[in-house]
Amino acid sequence: MGKDVLDWVLLSPNAVNQWNKLCQEIVRDKEISDPYQIPDEKAEVMDDGRLRIYCELPGYGEVEMFVEKREWGWNN
């Protein structure tokens, strides 16, 4: 895995909504009573320009989502 770059990127509202929806589905499907059990996410830039957002959810495994290049940018 690459270096975590989440602090240096801006996500589109659509990408944020998609990540939040994914986390809500996992919380519901895995019957997690406390959404704060989901650890802080990290991000890395893929070779094709997409951004991979991910976190390791205890008892579940890795959760990931890929964000198309048009849906994120660098925070200058």
Side-chain angles (χ1 to χ4, degrees), residues 2-74:
K3 182 179 177 185
D4 180 19
V5 297
L6 192 60
D7 288 340
W8 299 294
V9 299
L10 296 173
L11 298 173
S12 72
N14 181 51
V16 172
N17 289 338
Q18 287 179 354
W19 178 254
N20 288 337
K21 182 180 177 183
L22 175 63
C23 291
Q24 289 170 359
E25 289 172 2
I26 291 168
V27 166
R28 183 184 65 243
D29 293 346
K30 297 299 174 189
E31 298 179 2
I32 297 172
S33 60
D34 182 5
Y36 292 103
Q37 289 177 312
I38 298 177
D40 289 341
E41 61 272 4
K42 297 178 182 178
E44 67 179 331
V45 179
M46 307 305 293
D47 289 339
D48 63 4
R50 293 179 301 157
L51 186 72
R52 176 179 173 254
I53 302 174
Y54 61 96
C55 70
E56 187 70 30
L57 187 60
Y60 178 76
E62 190 172 76
V63 177
E64 69 178 359
M65 182 183 91
F66 291 91
V67 179
E68 295 298 324
K69 189 169 181 163
R70 67 182 178 278
E71 296 283 338
W72 74 273
W74 293 108

